[in-house]
Amino acid sequence: MNKNNFDIRPATEDLAALVSLFTKSASFLAGVMALWSLTASLRITQSFAVSEGVLSSWIVWAALAAGLNLAAPYLTREIQERLRSMPVRVLPNRRTIAANDRTAAA
């Protein structure tokens, strides 16, 4: 590969890490919400942010936390496999474009 070009694959592989980080963070947040809802149900804390509806139950939050926690490694692996199977796209570097413009103008 020409050193004036770069491969966009390493930049897009960061997407897998970002998705993993997001799902793990969302899982932690759902776990905190489950704990808060449970303590509100046991009257340890004064109230919970969601007082009515499906999201007022700590079981829903705990299931969401568990689901996200289980999905994080699968999503990361799936994204990494798809990115590995992508064809390598090589884009020109800005310096290469500028040099080509100068030589074309001369």
Side-chain angles (χ1 to χ4, degrees), residues 44-85:
I44 296 171
T45 58
Q46 203 166 22
S47 65
F48 181 60
V50 184
S51 59
E52 296 177 5
V54 177
L55 295 178
S56 64
S57 173
W58 68 270
I59 298 171
V60 174
W61 288 106
L64 183 63
L68 285 170
N69 201 20
L70 291 173
Y74 171 76
L75 288 172
T76 303
R77 186 175 39 239
E78 186 69 26
I79 289 170
Q80 286 174 344
E81 287 175 7
R82 288 182 186 218
L83 289 174
R84 279 191 204 109
S85 66

Side-chain angles (χ1 to χ4, degrees), residues 14-73:
D14 291 337
L15 178 65
L18 183 65
V19 168
S20 176
L21 178 67
F22 174 74
T23 52
K24 289 177 184 178
S25 299
S27 172
F28 176 74
L29 180 63
V32 169
M33 295 294 280
L35 186 62
W36 184 16
S37 178
L38 177 63
T39 57
S41 296
L42 296 173
R43 301 198 190 277
I44 296 171
T45 58
Q46 203 166 22
S47 65
F48 181 60
V50 184
S51 59
E52 296 177 5
V54 177
L55 295 178
S56 64
S57 173
W58 68 270
I59 298 171
V60 174
W61 288 106
L64 183 63
L68 285 170
N69 201 20
L70 291 173

Side-chain angles (χ1 to χ4, degrees), residues 1-7 90-93 96 100:
M1 187 178 344
N2 186 348
K3 74 175 190 175
N4 292 330
N5 296 330
F6 66 95
D7 179 7
V90 178
L91 300 176
N93 193 330
T96 307
N100 290 342

